[in-house]
Amino acid sequence: QVQLVESGGGLVQPGGSLRLSCAASGSIFSIYAMDWYRQPPGKQRELVARSTSDGSTNYADSVKGRFTISRDNAKNTVWLQMNSLKPEDTAVYYCYMRVKESFWGSPDDYWGQGTQVTVSS
């Protein structure tokens, strides 16, 4: 089994910055995608940023140029640096990883517990 633990959320003023982190532990052979999603109040969960195992990254249009996703495969960790935060960035942020637990197994999907980010003056 694999566990994802997130940290770094909180309350920040508009224009401020936060850095989220998500560390995976447990039985891990390899990790494919490492993503960040968010769910604003009353809305559906949406993809914010993706980091694939080949090193490519993708971002939602709403966060391009402000957010940066990065990963450390040796530490099974992914970060989301969020700059120039806006009130509309307020949401619960979730990390997601697609993990292969053994050489012979198929990859499974794992989610973090979620961390609240509130952007308000």
Side-chain angles (χ1 to χ4, degrees):
Q1 196 63 310
V2 175
Q3 298 80 38
L4 305 186
V5 178
E6 302 178 30
S7 62
L11 173 64
V12 64
Q13 293 186 342
S17 297
L18 281 175
R19 189 187 195 211
L20 307 182
S21 65
C22 176
S25 62
S27 178
I28 298 171
F29 176 75
S30 62
I31 301 176
Y32 299 103
M34 291 185 178
D35 301 344
W36 286 97
Y37 285 75
R38 68 185 180 187
Q39 187 164 14
K43 297 185 179 181
Q44 291 188 338
R45 192 174 299 188
E46 61 183 6
L47 177 64
V48 175
R50 168 164 290 165
S51 172
T52 63
S53 56
D54 65 359
S56 64
T57 57
N58 293 287
Y59 297 92
D61 288 342
S62 58
V63 306
K64 282 181 181 177
R66 300 189 297 122
F67 290 12
T68 302
I69 188 170
S70 58
R71 63 192 281 172
D72 185 327
N73 292 323
K75 296 181 179 180
N76 297 325
T77 300
V78 61
W79 295 273
L80 184 68
Q81 177 67 42
M82 305 185 293
N83 299 327
S84 302
L85 283 161
K86 305 175 181 180
E88 51 264 43
D89 294 317
T90 295
V92 178
Y93 283 71
Y94 298 90
C95 67
Y96 159 88
M97 296 188 188
R98 188 156 178 82
V99 180
K100 194 174 182 182
E101 297 182 45
S102 68
F103 178 80
W104 302 272
S106 299
D108 289 315
D109 300 327
Y110 292 94
W111 292 88
Q113 80 279 12
T115 185
Q116 177 69 46
V117 171
T118 302
V119 185
S120 175
S121 55

